Amino acid sequence: MIRGAIEVARSTRIAGWIFSDDDGLRDKTVLAFVAGRCVGAGKVDKFRQDLLDAKLGSGYCGFDFPVKLADGEPVGAIIVKLQFSDAALIQAASRVSCPDDAEAAGSADLGAVTQASVAWMMDRGMLEQAEYDFLKCIQSAGAYERGLRVGKRNTPVADRADSRLDPRTVAQEMLALFLLSDVPVAEVGIAAVSDLVANAAVLRRAAAPVAAIWSPERGRILLEERSHLGGRRSGAAVAEPAAGSIEYSFGPDRLLFVHRDCRFAALGPAPVSGLTVFTVPLQEAAKVPAQKRPAQVRAA
């Protein structure tokens, strides 16, 4: 699992830390983006005593490098990505947006947890880090990759080779958090991402506007981030993404959560084994009380 934070965000500089349990990431490259445009790059090469004390590798988890924003680009929209990876850090008090997104966001279906509530819940210990990242990324970008590998510290040595969480269970927990209701999930098998175009009802006839994609083999999509904002719910769920779209992946070790109003398309061949799409069925959602806090959200 990759962890980290953006701690300093200015018009000329970005700084923070990033760490992976599998690979310390020392000397790896990180890049800063605003709305898909790279505004700077640097190395994970800064020593941090506090991170060493927290047992995060050798403590060389920090980054600090210059950025250059165009006129009118908000500092709060800067995200940091690990090179050759889909992992991204988003500022805790910000959301990735365009200048005209404020009005558009009001018409988007972004779940029971409001944007303002996400940071509030995180600050009070009511969300796990993965839950916080999920809500932030779905609301701001429209997609989120959730790793299924069990952390080494929590796994017996004999079981570390292939220890993974059950994708259906994780999908159910995350979708319940999104709706703040205890809901079951439906499982739909399809051959490829492109089949969602022909059978858009898989995403449209569901109680949650977010679905999870999984496969026993690795698959990839290109997704136009933030395309779920702006009242596009009457359009096609899947379409050719615009230039500057971001690559996301799914597979045996990760779920890909996608907002159904995002524009995305397959990247490369479909997994031979096909895809599994997890959604919340309408008839089941109607049977549970709304706004009920799921078990994984802990009181502060």
Side-chain angles (χ1 to χ4, degrees):
M1 181 178 70
I2 293 179
R3 293 172 282 168
I6 296 175
E7 298 171 318
V8 177
R10 300 175 182 169
S11 59
T12 58
R13 172 181 167 234
I14 195 83
W17 65 275
I18 187 169
F19 176 78
S20 169
D21 293 320
D22 297 325
D23 182 352
L25 303 184
R26 181 175 181 178
D27 293 327
K28 295 293 179 68
T29 298
V30 285
L31 305 100
F33 288 89
V34 173
R37 185 178 74 87
C38 185
V39 296
K43 294 286 188 180
V44 183
D45 58 2
K46 302 296 186 289
F47 175 75
R48 292 272 299 268
Q49 184 64 46
D50 58 331
L51 300 179
L52 178 63
D53 294 341
K55 303 187 184 305
L56 298 183
S58 62
Y60 282 90
C61 311
F63 59 83
D64 190 336
F65 57 90
V67 296
K68 185 175 182 179
L69 304 185
D71 291 342
E73 285 185 325
V75 172
I78 301 176
I79 67 171
V80 172
K81 285 200 170 189
L82 182 66
Q83 189 178 35
F84 307 125
S85 170
D86 299 315
L89 303 179
I90 299 175
Q91 298 177 57
S94 303
R95 69 182 182 92
V96 183
S97 64
C98 291
D100 59 353
D101 272 350
E103 180 179 351
S107 61
D109 187 354
L110 296 177
V113 184
T114 64
Q115 181 74 32
S117 298
V118 176
W120 186 91
M121 294 171 71
M122 183 65 176
D123 290 343
R124 287 155 180 80
M126 298 173 69
L127 294 175
E128 299 283 355
Q129 184 65 49
E131 296 167 342
Y132 170 78
D133 293 340
F134 164 68
L135 291 173
K136 289 288 290 184
C137 290
I138 285 295
Q139 293 182 350
S140 59
Y144 172 69
E145 290 182 16
R146 171 67 161 91
L148 298 175
R149 292 187 183 276
V150 177
K152 293 181 179 180
R153 296 177 185 175
N154 302 322
T155 309
V157 174
D159 299 332
R160 287 181 183 174
D162 190 24
S163 184
R164 297 170 184 168
L165 300 172
D166 175 55
R168 182 187 180 93
T169 300
V170 175
Q172 183 175 25
E173 291 176 349
M174 291 299 192
L175 293 172
L177 173 63
F178 186 84
L179 294 175
L180 285 185
S181 296
D182 292 320
V183 294
V185 295
E187 234 177 274
V188 180
I190 60 173
V193 171
S194 57
D195 286 356
L196 289 175
V197 176
N199 188 15
V202 172
L203 299 180
R204 292 289 155 193
R205 295 176 184 173
V210 175
I213 302 173
W214 179 84
S215 174
E217 302 168 65
R218 183 57 55 88
R220 299 177 296 161
I221 69 170
L222 279 176
L223 180 138
E224 185 183 350
E225 294 183 340
R226 303 184 313 281
S227 57
H228 61 309
L229 303 174
R232 297 188 177 96
R233 278 172 281 182
S234 60
V238 182
E240 287 299 326
S245 295
I246 304 299
E247 178 181 330
Y248 284 88
S249 64
F250 55 89
D253 61 344
R254 70 186 65 188
L255 275 168
L256 175 60
F257 290 87
V258 177
H259 196 288
R260 66 187 175 198
D261 296 328
C262 276
R263 291 194 292 270
F264 61 92
L267 178 62
V272 175
S273 55
L275 285 62
T276 298
V277 180
F278 298 101
T279 63
V280 179
L282 283 171
Q283 64 272 20
E284 295 294 347
K287 299 177 183 178
V288 298
Q291 304 299 310
K292 181 179 178 182
R293 179 176 295 169
Q296 75 270 24
V297 179
R298 305 188 311 277

